[in-house]
Amino acid sequence: MIVLLASRNPGKLREFKQLLPGIDLIPWPPEAPEIPEEGAFFQDNALQKATFAKAWWSEHGTLRVDGVLADDSGLCVDALWGGPGVLSARFAPDLAPEPKNRLLLSMLPPGQPRGARFVCVLAWVPFQGGPRTFSGAVEGTLALEPRGTHGFGYDPIFIPEGERSTFGELPEAVKHGMSHRGRASAAFLAEL
Ligand code: IMP
């Protein structure tokens, strides 16, 4: 099965290659336009990304694919009213991951609860048939400082429920077994 992944995020691409073995994933090509994400909810954005990518690929694609998969995801922090949430990719965009993670942690008022969750919505738009969405979430808390070098993005500051290590410290296979993207991918695979 050949699937166009509507993302250029190298962290997501690496994870999907591990999470969806047996599926031939084509990343969003460098010459293609930026994929819009203008919605207020993960689901809206995932559907917008997938339908945009399908329309562009129908006109410009060089290979026949079975469908398009899009991921909209983010870190929702309780003490920040659910932020950065759908804006996770656009939070402090000029900062490298380490200072960005430190900036986010500095915004947590001292003594406030440190609860947070990662959320992922996948939109699947087959070339024949209607769109479907699959979601996954993982509850956890924010670390006091970034720890670990595995994964990407906010992984070094997120401690999943039941663990003492951050996603940045845990082996990737352990992350996949409990992560938002791992859960949404399992639902997608079950549907396929
Ligand atoms: P978007 O889905 O393109 O809007 O980007 C989601 C953003 O959320 C990413 O760029 C990361 O900053 C963050 N994010 C989503 N999933 C993960 C994850 O598994 N680990 C760390 N950060 C993530």
Side-chain angles (χ1 to χ4, degrees), residues 59-139:
E59 218 176 306
H60 305 278
T62 47
L63 185 72
R64 194 197 159 279
V65 302
D66 295 293
V68 182
L69 187 67
D71 164 310
D72 200 62
S73 49
L75 179 65
C76 305
V77 179
D78 293 342
L80 301 178
W81 303 95
V86 287
L87 300 177
S88 291
R90 284 166 274 173
F91 173 73
D94 297 332
L95 290 184
E98 160 92 17
K100 185 188 303 217
N101 280 331
R102 288 192 185 278
L103 174 65
L104 184 61
L105 292 181
S106 76
M107 292 166 66
L108 276 194
Q112 288 292 305
R114 304 186 72 79
R117 74 201 46 75
F118 268 124
V119 177
C120 170
V121 176
L122 296 181
W124 166 239
V125 183
F127 264 80
Q128 277 162 7
R132 294 285 317 271
T133 58
F134 307 90
S135 59
V138 53
E139 298 289 331

Side-chain angles (χ1 to χ4, degrees), residues 6-9 11-12 15 35 37 42 45-46 49 70-75 84-91 100-101 118-121 138 150-156 158 167 175-176 179-182:
S7 175
R8 281 198 193 107
N9 183 316
K12 288 186 186 181
E15 292 203 350
I35 304 174
E37 49 172 305
F42 292 111
N45 280 341
K49 289 178 187 180
D71 164 310
D72 200 62
S73 49
L75 179 65
V86 287
L87 300 177
S88 291
R90 284 166 274 173
F91 173 73
K100 185 188 303 217
N101 280 331
F118 268 124
V119 177
C120 170
V121 176
V138 53
H150 295 157
F152 68 101
Y154 301 102
D155 280 341
F158 183 80
F167 270 163
K175 175 185 176 186
H176 295 337
S179 80
H180 51 317
R181 189 164 297 105

Side-chain angles (χ1 to χ4, degrees), residues 78 114-118 137-143 157-167 170 174-175 177-180 183:
D78 293 342
R114 304 186 72 79
R117 74 201 46 75
F118 268 124
V138 53
E139 298 289 331
T141 52
L142 292 190
I157 60 171
F158 183 80
I159 304 171
E161 215 168 57
E163 298 284 344
R164 305 181 86 152
S165 305
T166 66
F167 270 163
L170 290 167
V174 175
K175 175 185 176 186
M178 62 175 80
S179 80
H180 51 317
R183 289 176 173 155

